[in-house]
């Protein structure tokens, strides 16, 4: 059984590769909900939606989000009525949000709603929100504190970032099954997602990071940073705001207390050497996912790493990594 922590478009691409190379029934996904928002009165969970769409074969691969072949007539109509339209919700995508909102209004938890929707769409992998409690990623900028979607989608992540916090995290609990999925997994894979705003909210829920530290299965993370720049999006800006270098060393620091293996791009082979000298197992491979073959290849490389890595022999000591020069 493999457990995967995922969020964002990088996470969805990685899961697309995962479903190509192993049975869906053997996969449990723990998904970021820090991006969730109320939109036109509906509860939208962008990362859970993307994972559900990719596992059901519905994801628009051109956009990396939403439903393939979708139309946006409702969005246009709402604009004509003077309603906000900066969050692009497609017509078929609305069905997901309508059903989830109705289930939540009936008293179901987010876990319950996710299970119902997954079953209706034929998803065989287990999809778990990180928590049934509301945890909201808040980005502090000179323009004020913004939700992640306001910062990322509405304002195109052009604002300087002072810091990031996860509102509500301290009072949240892991969703049912999350801790058990981590501690019972043969291996835990962390998708090439933004370490701050995609994986960070998951780790902020009390108990999840501790479960990773004590997990018996090996833990591998795929770096979303290649050559001191993010593959996509604002990961570098957000890592800097949180005191981490935008490099594979910064990714390693984000997971320093539980990571066994870091998987980075071949272009970071030189930057990997200081990490290895400090006891981290690092595997360099092709990490850019442009095609289905790329996605499957990266997943195979990750699975091979956790299959061959010594169990916890080299689990990290954070102080050693924090001393690394971020620009080797």
């Amino acid at each position: 059984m493999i457990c995967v922590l995922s969020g964002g478009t990088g996470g969805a691409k990685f899961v697309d590769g995962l479903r190509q190379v192993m049975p869906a029934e053997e996969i449990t996904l723990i998904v970021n909900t820090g991006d969730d928002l109320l939109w036109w009165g509906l509860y939208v969970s962008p990362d859970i939606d993307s994972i559900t769409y990719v596992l059901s074969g519905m994801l628009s691969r051109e956009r990396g989000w939403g439903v393939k072949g979708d139309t946006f007539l409702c969005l246009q109509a709402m604009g004509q009525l003077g309603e906000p339209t900066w969050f692009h919700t497609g017509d078929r995508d609305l069905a997901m949000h309508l059903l989830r909102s109705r289930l939540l209004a009936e008293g179901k938890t987010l876990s319950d709603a996710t299970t119902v929707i997954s079953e209706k769409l034929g998803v065989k992998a287990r999809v778990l929100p990180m928590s049934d409690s509301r945890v909201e990623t808040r980005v502090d900028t000179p323009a004020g504190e913004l939700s992640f979607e306001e910062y990322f989608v509405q304002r195109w992540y052009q604002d300087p970032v002072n810091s990031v916090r996860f509102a509500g995290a301290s009072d949240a609990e892991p969703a049912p099954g999350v801790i058990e999925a981590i501690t019972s997994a043969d291996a835990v894979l962390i998708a090439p997602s933004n370490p701050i705003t995609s994986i960070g909210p998951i780790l902020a829920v009390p108990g999840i990071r501790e479960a990773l530290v004590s997990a018996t299965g090996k833990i591998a993370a795929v770096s979303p940073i290649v050559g001191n720049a993010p593959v996509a999006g604002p990961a570098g800006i957000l890592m800097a705001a949180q005191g981490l270098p935008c490099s594979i060393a910064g990714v390693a620091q984000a997971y320093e207390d539980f990571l066994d293996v870091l998987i980075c791009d071949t272009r970071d082979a030189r930057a990997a050497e200081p990490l290895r000298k400090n006891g981290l197992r690092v595997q360099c491979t092709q990490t850019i996912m442009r095609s289905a073959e790329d996605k499957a290849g990266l997943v195979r490389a990750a699975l091979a790493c956790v299959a061959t890595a010594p169990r916890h022999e080299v689990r990290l000591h954070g102080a050693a990594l924090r001393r690394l020069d971020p620009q080797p």
Side-chain angles (χ1 to χ4, degrees):
M1 184 64 70
I2 299 294
C3 178
V4 181
L5 275 57
S6 176
T9 56
K13 286 183 177 181
F14 188 74
V15 172
D16 199 9
L18 199 63
R19 74 182 186 120
Q20 296 180 54
V21 302
M22 66 180 297
E25 294 85 351
E26 297 181 11
I27 305 169
T28 297
L29 295 138
I30 299 172
V31 184
N32 169 47
T33 60
D35 300 3
D36 292 7
L37 72 159
L38 287 176
W39 182 248
W40 299 339
L42 303 175
Y43 189 98
V44 181
S45 189
D47 286 351
I48 287 182
D49 294 347
S50 291
I51 291 299
T52 304
Y53 289 147
V54 76
L55 289 171
S56 60
M58 296 171 62
L59 184 74
S60 169
R61 288 180 169 77
E62 291 76 18
R63 293 192 301 270
W65 53 270
V67 181
K68 63 183 176 184
D70 212 346
T71 54
F72 293 85
L73 298 176
C74 182
L75 187 77
Q76 295 172 17
M78 290 295 273
Q80 292 170 348
L81 292 170
E83 294 299 309
T85 57
W86 57 264
F87 190 78
H88 290 181
T89 303
D91 297 328
R92 296 179 66 191
D93 197 23
L94 273 174
M96 173 86 83
H97 311 324
L98 286 165
L99 177 56
R100 178 187 293 117
S101 301
R102 194 197 76 192
L103 292 169
L104 293 176
E106 292 173 351
K108 299 284 195 305
T109 65
L110 184 59
S111 294
D112 295 334
T114 301
T115 299
V116 169
I117 293 169
S118 293
E119 290 176 351
K120 287 179 178 291
L121 294 179
V123 173
K124 295 180 180 177
R126 191 180 185 199
V127 181
L128 303 175
M130 64 188 199
S131 177
D132 285 334
S133 304
R134 186 73 182 96
V135 177
E136 184 177 5
T137 299
R138 304 291 298 178
V139 182
D140 182 38
T141 75
E145 191 174 75
L146 308 170
S147 72
F148 179 72
E149 295 298 344
E150 289 171 331
Y151 163 74
F152 183 64
V153 178
Q154 184 179 21
R155 300 174 70 88
W156 291 87
Y157 52 95
Q158 295 182 3
D159 299 273
V161 176
N162 299 321
S163 63
V164 178
R165 71 181 183 98
F166 308 113
S170 60
D171 296 325
E173 295 182 355
V178 165
I179 299 300
E180 292 79 5
I182 293 172
T183 56
S184 66
D186 296 318
V188 178
L189 303 178
I190 300 177
S193 304
N194 186 320
I196 305 302
T197 53
S198 291
I199 303 300
I202 302 175
L203 300 180
V205 177
I208 293 182
R209 189 161 205 133
E210 291 79 0
L212 289 162
V213 171
S214 62
T216 56
K218 287 168 278 189
I219 303 176
V222 182
S223 173
I225 304 297
V226 176
N228 295 332
V231 175
I237 298 170
L238 297 167
M239 290 175 72
Q242 296 300 92
L244 295 173
C246 179
S247 65
I248 61 170
V251 177
Q253 288 178 41
Y255 309 137
E256 62 188 6
D257 49 343
F258 54 77
L259 190 64
D260 292 310
V261 184
L262 178 65
I263 300 166
C264 67
D265 196 81
T266 51
R267 281 168 282 185
D268 281 312
R270 183 178 176 186
E273 289 307 316
L275 296 173
R276 292 192 179 105
K277 289 178 181 176
N278 281 278
L280 177 63
R281 184 181 174 92
V282 184
Q283 179 68 40
C284 298
T285 188
Q286 161 67 31
T287 64
I288 303 298
M289 297 178 285
R290 295 189 178 92
S291 66
E293 291 75 17
D294 293 339
K295 298 170 187 173
L298 179 57
V299 168
R300 289 191 184 97
L303 293 174
C305 282
V306 292
T308 59
R311 175 166 290 184
H312 301 174
E313 181 177 297
V314 292
R315 186 156 278 178
L316 295 181
H317 300 287
L321 284 178
R322 283 192 290 272
R323 288 195 299 269
L324 289 177
D325 180 354
Q327 302 291 333

